[in-house]
Amino acid sequence: GGGFKAGKAPPPPPGSLAPGAPPPPPPPPPPPGSLGLNKPTNGPPAPAEGMSAVFKELNKGEAITSGLRKVTDDMKSKNRADRSGLVATGGGGAGVAPAVPPAVSKTAKPPKFALDGKKWAVEHQVGNRTLVIEDVNPKQTVYVYDCVDCVIQIKGKANNITLDKCAKTGVVFEDVLATCELVNCVSMQVQCTGACPTVAIDKVDGCQVFLGPKSYGAEITTAKCSEVNVVCVPDEGSDADAIETPVPEQFVTTRDPKTGKWVTVPMGHSGA
């Protein structure tokens, strides 16, 4: 009495398909950007925005790379300046470049012996013991630079004679109007056969100054020097001996109690 009526099938259970019914349509695809890998993370828009930000940076990379190009151009221009400086040193390159070639190509520089205007230039001579400057007049100066193991003879009366950065070199001159100056030299010999009012020696290690009778009254000034000697040479044919006097290198400074001033005197030498 309480059963189903004959001829009727029981209703299908929930969720089951009826016999002969078409399958349901597939679920709609997930919206763009909502991949399954993004679902476990909280706030899926953040990764999408992060990637978009990365792409934006890549798109803006032109500006970044342009900045890098600017730096690269600066570096290239610096390199070009260095190269141009090295090439143009012979023609007067500017900047830091000129300071490098003298140190590198110092020994390779050609010797010079010429009259430039009113200046006799004797430069980069090595082992030349036959250098003679003729007919020097009081309007001309003589500049000897970077000479090694040379002998230079100066005939006439020069306005000024300068020996700069020389070593093991001897200079014999007749007369000088102003000063014979030695700077940054080593193992030098200078002889004046005529008149020389002043001999200035600065930063020189080893120097023999030979003075004839006309230069006995010369003034010798020294600064930062060592082994400097002044030799008074008598006239030719005289029986007198040459007198050599060392220039003091050590000094003593004491206070004078009467004046209250400090006084510096050379340290005493034997025979002084």
Side-chain angles (χ1 to χ4, degrees):
F4 293 101
K5 292 182 180 180
K8 290 184 179 180
S16 62
L17 297 177
S34 60
L35 298 177
L37 296 177
N38 294 333
K39 289 181 181 179
T41 61
N42 294 328
E49 290 178 359
M51 289 302 296
S52 63
V54 171
F55 281 105
K56 286 181 181 179
E57 290 298 326
L58 292 177
N59 292 332
K60 286 167 36 177
E62 290 183 359
I64 299 175
T65 55
S66 65
L68 293 176
R69 289 192 201 101
K70 289 179 182 178
V71 175
T72 306
D73 290 339
D74 292 340
M75 295 299 294
K76 289 182 179 179
S77 64
K78 290 179 181 180
N79 292 335
R80 288 195 298 268
D82 290 343
R83 289 195 294 268
S84 63
L86 290 174
V87 173
T89 49
V96 184
V100 178
V104 176
S105 60
K106 172 179 174 296
T107 57
K109 285 191 174 181
K112 181 178 181 180
F113 185 86
L115 177 61
D116 294 338
K118 296 182 180 181
K119 181 180 76 172
W120 282 96
V122 183
E123 302 177 1
H124 312 297
Q125 300 281 344
V126 178
N128 194 338
R129 295 175 173 267
T130 59
L131 294 167
V132 180
I133 303 177
E134 300 277 0
D135 300 327
V136 179
N137 62 65
K139 294 183 179 180
Q140 296 175 343
T141 61
V142 179
Y143 181 69
V144 182
Y145 176 74
D146 192 27
C147 292
V148 180
D149 194 23
C150 294
V151 175
I152 304 168
Q153 188 174 0
I154 303 171
K155 295 183 178 182
K157 186 174 185 179
N159 183 281
N160 187 78
I161 299 174
T162 301
L163 311 177
D164 186 4
K165 201 177 179 181
C166 296
K168 299 179 181 180
T169 295
V171 176
V172 181
F173 62 93
E174 294 178 358
D175 299 290
V176 64
L177 184 63
T179 306
C180 175
E181 181 181 11
L182 295 89
V183 183
N184 296 320
C185 295
V186 178
S187 301
M188 302 292 292
Q189 289 189 1
V190 176
Q191 181 176 0
C192 177
T193 60
C196 175
T198 306
V199 179
I201 307 173
D202 188 11
K203 298 179 183 177
V204 174
D205 294 328
C207 181
Q208 295 282 111
V209 180
F210 298 90
L211 299 176
K214 294 182 181 179
S215 297
Y216 282 176
E219 181 179 82
I220 311 294
T221 62
T222 59
K224 298 182 180 180
C225 296
S226 64
E227 300 180 8
V228 176
N229 296 285
V230 180
V231 182
C232 289
V233 181
D235 282 329
E236 293 184 7
S238 173
D239 295 335
D241 295 329
I243 300 176
E244 181 176 9
T245 304
V247 175
E249 302 176 29
Q250 294 178 315
F251 302 88
V252 179
T253 302
T254 56
R255 183 177 181 274
D256 187 345
K258 296 180 180 180
T259 62
K261 295 181 179 180
W262 290 88
V263 180
T264 301
V265 297
M267 184 174 290
H269 292 272
S270 60

